[in-house]
Amino acid sequence: MSRIAYFGPQGTFTEQAARRLASGEELIPAETIPAALAAVRSGAAGAACVPIENSVEGAVTATLDSLSEAEPLVAVAEVLLPVHFSVLTRPGTTEIRTVASHPHALAQVRHWVEANLPGAHPVATSSTAAAAVAVAEGEFDAAVTAPVAVEHYPLEVRATEVADVRDAKTRFLLVRAPGELPEPTGADRTSIVAAATNRTGALAELLTELAVRGINLTKLDARPTRNNFGEYRFFIDFEGHVAEPRIGDALAALRRRCRNVRFLGSHPRADNGTTEIEPGAANEDFTDAIDWVQSVRKGAQA
Ligand SMILES: O=C(O)C(=O)C[C@]1(C(=O)O)C=C[C@@H](O)C=C1
């Protein structure tokens, strides 16, 4: 049986996402996002489940950085989970001086903590469940966790449904080594990362290749390359699947403009988004145009 490594330990939001994405595979926790992805690169796991973006805090930068380094991996599926938190303490705790959690979680409950635990000091841990472990071991007083965490650790619930922003969501990816791609569904997302050179208009040129083909962006993030100050990698998500002629045409153009482009996957979207195609940008328009050029070359028509 194949295994899915997930950003753990047990009781993280990512474990819940991995359960949704698994179909009978064994789930194995990894302590960090790079470790979950390394398990796929080394063959210790067939896939990894990692968070990629949160509707309040934005990109999960550890995932972006790990996907752009080392051996290429591709996303084959995604899931969107609603995010609200529970606050857990050791039974009998009377005074809360420290509140621990993943930085993304702390950022999503900042106002709640200020209003309900005045004076409590926020402390970052590697994940929400790692905060629960640390509280159980007496290191901190309270943990901000996924609701399921209380089932795994000897803690008691002090508050539920905690969130500064209602209806917050996090998107998670299931990532594998490059291989067979999921079939296109008509509502897909394609992701790439490109290290554009540091010159006028380089990013604009990449984005223009998508815009002129009527391809809608769903996300754009920049991360430093870490080599030279001021040099960035651009993570670009857009609607469509690499199997579609219009997306293939756009990817070929991106590759022409930028040798340093990495394909990060094409897979069905979890947000039920429909893809609006502008006139002249449908797949048939692309195949029809190629057929026309072929026939012009053969002298069949002008
Ligand atoms: O720590 C966890 O439970 C995670 O799965 C990570 C993570 C994140 O990276 O944003 C996932 C969802 C929440 O937004 C808070 C933390």
Side-chain angles (χ1 to χ4, degrees):
M1 186 173 53
S2 151
R3 310 196 304 170
I4 298 179
Y6 68 89
F7 174 40
Q10 272 195 320
T12 54
F13 284 98
T14 313
E15 185 193 2
Q16 308 314 301
R19 292 196 180 285
R20 292 269 197 95
L21 291 164
S23 43
E25 296 93 337
E26 182 192 354
L27 300 186
I28 51 168
E31 210 169 302
T32 63
I33 289 171
L37 297 174
V40 183
R41 291 187 173 113
S42 72
C49 182
V50 289
I52 181 79
E53 65 171 326
N54 171 260
S55 60
V56 179
E57 269 305 288
V60 180
T61 52
T63 300
L64 296 184
D65 291 342
S66 307
L67 285 176
S68 64
E69 291 157 2
E71 291 302 305
L73 296 171
V74 289
V76 293
E78 68 177 33
V79 68
L80 263 184
L81 288 190
V83 173
H84 53 79
F85 301 90
S86 292
V87 176
L88 310 182
T89 59
R90 286 180 303 284
T93 299
T94 50
E95 199 188 348
I96 297 181
R97 282 160 303 175
T98 46
V99 185
S101 199
H102 186 276
H104 264 203
L106 290 173
Q108 292 178 74
V109 301
R110 192 177 294 127
H111 298 308
W112 186 94
V113 170
E114 277 165 15
N116 295 277
L117 302 172
H121 187 64
V123 193
T125 50
S126 62
S127 69
T128 54
V133 172
V135 170
E137 289 172 352
E139 211 177 322
F140 308 117
D141 299 324
V144 175
T145 69
V148 294
V150 72
E151 294 167 23
H152 299 285
Y153 304 100
L155 298 174
E156 78 185 13
V157 179
R158 298 289 282 247
T160 58
E161 305 280 329
V162 173
D164 292 347
V165 178
R166 293 282 135 211
D167 300 325
K169 291 180 181 60
T170 299
R171 186 162 65 91
F172 299 83
L173 298 179
L174 187 69
V175 169
R176 290 189 191 284
E180 210 176 310
L181 298 175
E183 291 291 316
T185 63
D188 302 291
R189 188 190 313 279
T190 292
S191 309
I192 59 148
V193 53
T197 46
N198 184 4
R199 62 175 175 77
T200 309
L203 174 62
E205 281 172 9
L206 296 183
L207 298 182
T208 300
E209 295 294 356
L210 299 170
V212 295
R213 290 170 179 82
I215 296 169
N216 189 25
L217 289 195
T218 56
K219 187 166 79 71
L220 174 67
D221 287 299
R223 294 288 299 153
T225 59
R226 300 174 178 178
N227 299 329
N228 293 314
F229 185 76
E231 258 182 34
Y232 286 87
R233 286 195 185 97
F234 298 100
F235 292 79
I236 309 174
D237 282 8
F238 45 90
E239 291 176 357
H241 192 292
V242 64
E244 293 178 58
R246 63 194 196 96
I247 303 298
D249 197 62
L251 280 182
L254 293 177
R255 168 82 178 172
R256 262 195 292 110
R257 294 235 182 238
C258 173
R259 300 300 292 174
N260 208 340
V261 60
R262 182 180 272 201
F263 173 71
L264 295 178
S266 284
H267 56 78
R269 287 170 66 180
D271 53 7
N272 299 323
T274 49
T275 303
E276 299 275 328
I277 311 253
E278 289 175 19
N283 286 318
E284 306 77 65
D285 295 316
F286 280 87
T287 45
D288 182 71
I290 290 167
D291 291 348
W292 178 77
V293 173
Q294 299 283 27
S295 61
V296 168
R297 282 179 181 148
K298 286 182 193 147
Q301 60 173 295

